[in-house]
Structure formats: structure tokens, C-alpha cells
Amino acid sequence: MAKKSMIALDVKRKKMVERYAAKRAALVEAFNAAKDPMERLEIHRKIQGLPRNSAPIRVRNRCWATGKPRGVYRDFGLCRNE
């Protein structure tokens, strides 16, 4: 039961990453191009204002059959125990 909810949560995160990818990339590019520390701070606050689950680092590779987060082969999407 819990595995299915984790799979659903991960799917939701993937959709949110896609939705905010362009906005996040534009803000990061502006942050890297800014020279003034106050301007960088303002852009950083805007990046922090985005939803947490819109960050690509929060997406976890999971086995599509069992939902296990560890030992997943990228090529097949299955964990090593299957």
C-alpha cells in the first residue's frame, strides 16, 4: 500500500519538475549572470519561493514493479531483486 503511494508521489514530482523547469532555469541563469550581491540575493529568494518538489534533485528513481528506491537499473527501470 505504501509503495503505491510513493510511486504516485514520485510521478507527481516528475510532473512538477517539468512544469517549473523553464522558470527555474531562467532564474538560475539570471542568478549566475548577476554581479551585484543584492540582486543575487533577490533572485535567490525567488528560486526559494518555487515549490520544493519542482527541484529535479527531489525525483527518485524507483522500480516500476515494486516501488523500491534502491538498486534500480536505469536501463530497465527494475530493481535488482526482480
Side-chain angles (χ1 to χ4, degrees):
M1 182 86 170
K3 292 175 187 168
K4 292 296 181 183
S5 64
M6 291 307 293
I7 293 172
L9 184 63
D10 212 43
V11 168
K12 185 178 176 182
R13 284 181 178 156
K14 286 178 184 177
K15 287 180 185 176
M16 191 169 284
V17 167
E18 290 175 12
R19 188 181 320 144
Y20 285 93
K23 187 173 186 178
R24 183 176 288 275
L27 285 171
V28 169
E29 186 178 332
F31 179 80
N32 291 334
K35 300 289 185 194
D36 182 37
M38 293 307 290
E39 184 181 353
R40 287 174 68 98
L41 183 65
E42 222 23 69
I43 295 169
H44 184 66
R45 285 189 181 141
K46 288 180 184 177
I47 293 172
Q48 285 183 328
L50 295 175
R52 282 182 183 235
N53 284 337
S54 69
I57 196 72
R58 291 179 67 99
V59 176
R60 178 82 176 174
N61 288 338
R62 291 189 175 274
C63 175
W64 62 267
T66 61
K68 290 183 180 182
R70 307 263 178 145
V72 177
Y73 294 110
R74 279 184 227 162
D75 296 337
F76 310 109
L78 287 171
C79 64
R80 64 179 179 247
N81 299 332
E82 284 302 308

